[in-house]
Amino acid sequence: MSAPRRLPTVILISGRGSNLHAILRAVAGQALPIAIRAVISNRPDAPGLTLARDAGIPAEILDHTAFPDRQGFDDALQALIDSHAPELVVLAGFMRILSPSFVSHYHGRMLNIHPSLLPAFTGLDTHRRALEAGVREHGASVHFVTHALDGGPVVLEARVPVLPGDTAATLGARVLEAEHRIYPQAIRWFAEGRLRLAGNAGNEYALLDGKSITPELVAHSEGH
Ligand code: GRF
């Protein structure tokens, strides 16, 4: 029997790499049919680089501080990514605003995870802001990357309760655990050819098994 095809994938990180770790675990457990061609960090000291090396995956550094401007860095990053010929680019805590040309280049083949129930709390510091807003539910969202910051179509989300006495740290830890469940799941859908981005720029939507992913479906789709 021939081995199942593994989707060539590049993962971008900036720091800790706990989502990378969850992805590596899923791959090792045969639950995720991707071949991680490289892990690339814009920060030379990102702890996640060690996780990649320990898993025998090429870990590369492209330090953004060595470039005079965003476009120069993004062009170099794009060339580095493309040297690995990925069919999917996974942003796993990659803390950079992306230039329009970079986003266009990976249109429909770049996923991100954001620590909130999008469209609520785009940007940074989401757990503190969720607590300040007094929401009773918080969570994480996997989405396709489009030109709107944290605004591309949501593919899958995980909801967690906000509990009495929560701090940004306790709430963040609960969300992170949920992230580690949903990111491998969404990547798996993409790798299996079940998930894709449709529509025109600025008016995109995500399809799972040919059906549009509506907000209701997003909320109930974990475990499909
Ligand atoms: C996660 O909270 C993710 O949602 C956000 O950045 C953080 C990355 O954490 N985009 P890690 O590096 O995967 O541990």
Side-chain angles (χ1 to χ4, degrees), residues 121 127-137 162:
F121 310 118
H127 309 310
R128 182 186 56 76
R129 288 161 56 214
L131 286 174
E132 282 173 8
V135 294
R136 295 171 58 191
E137 244 188 349
V162 177

Side-chain angles (χ1 to χ4, degrees), residues 8-215:
T9 301
V10 166
I11 302 182
L12 305 187
I13 63 167
S14 295
R16 181 176 53 187
S18 71
N19 277 287
L20 168 64
H21 191 228
I23 294 164
L24 290 171
R25 265 204 317 265
V27 172
Q30 312 292 319
L32 192 48
I34 62 173
I36 306 173
R37 293 275 166 83
V39 169
I40 302 173
S41 172
N42 64 310
R43 294 193 178 277
D45 56 354
L49 288 166
T50 309
L51 293 172
R53 288 190 196 107
D54 288 352
I57 292 164
E60 299 181 352
I61 296 161
L62 191 69
D63 186 348
H64 66 278
T65 63
F67 291 82
D69 56 24
R70 182 178 309 284
Q71 193 65 55
F73 172 74
D74 280 9
D75 290 349
L77 180 60
Q78 185 175 311
L80 180 58
I81 294 170
D82 287 355
S83 72
H84 297 286
E87 292 174 35
L88 174 66
V89 175
V90 170
L91 306 183
F94 186 61
M95 304 301 284
R96 298 272 310 164
I97 301 224
L98 306 170
S99 60
S101 65
F102 186 91
V103 171
S104 296
H105 184 70
Y106 297 107
H107 187 256
R109 52 191 180 116
M110 182 154 61
L111 293 172
N112 183 41
I113 188 156
H114 182 78
S116 77
L117 295 172
L118 289 172
F121 310 118
T122 60
L124 298 174
D125 222 356
T126 55
H127 309 310
R128 182 186 56 76
R129 288 161 56 214
L131 286 174
E132 282 173 8
V135 294
R136 295 171 58 191
E137 244 188 349
H138 185 43
S141 312
V142 178
H143 65 95
F144 276 106
V145 177
T146 64
H147 290 289
L149 179 68
D150 299 328
V154 174
V155 165
L156 182 57
E157 70 181 18
R159 293 174 173 260
V160 304
V162 177
L163 300 178
D166 258 341
T167 62
T170 58
L171 180 57
R174 196 173 305 124
V175 170
L176 195 61
E177 209 179 293
E179 291 184 31
H180 298 162
R181 276 201 320 274
I182 62 172
Y183 213 4
Q185 167 77 70
I187 295 167
R188 179 181 183 153
W189 285 342
F190 190 89
E192 291 173 341
R194 298 177 58 189
L195 175 66
R196 66 183 187 87
L197 186 66
N200 302 319
N203 204 9
E204 296 100 334
Y205 52 94
L207 294 173
L208 179 64
D209 297 331
K211 290 196 204 82
S212 183
I213 302 183
T214 59

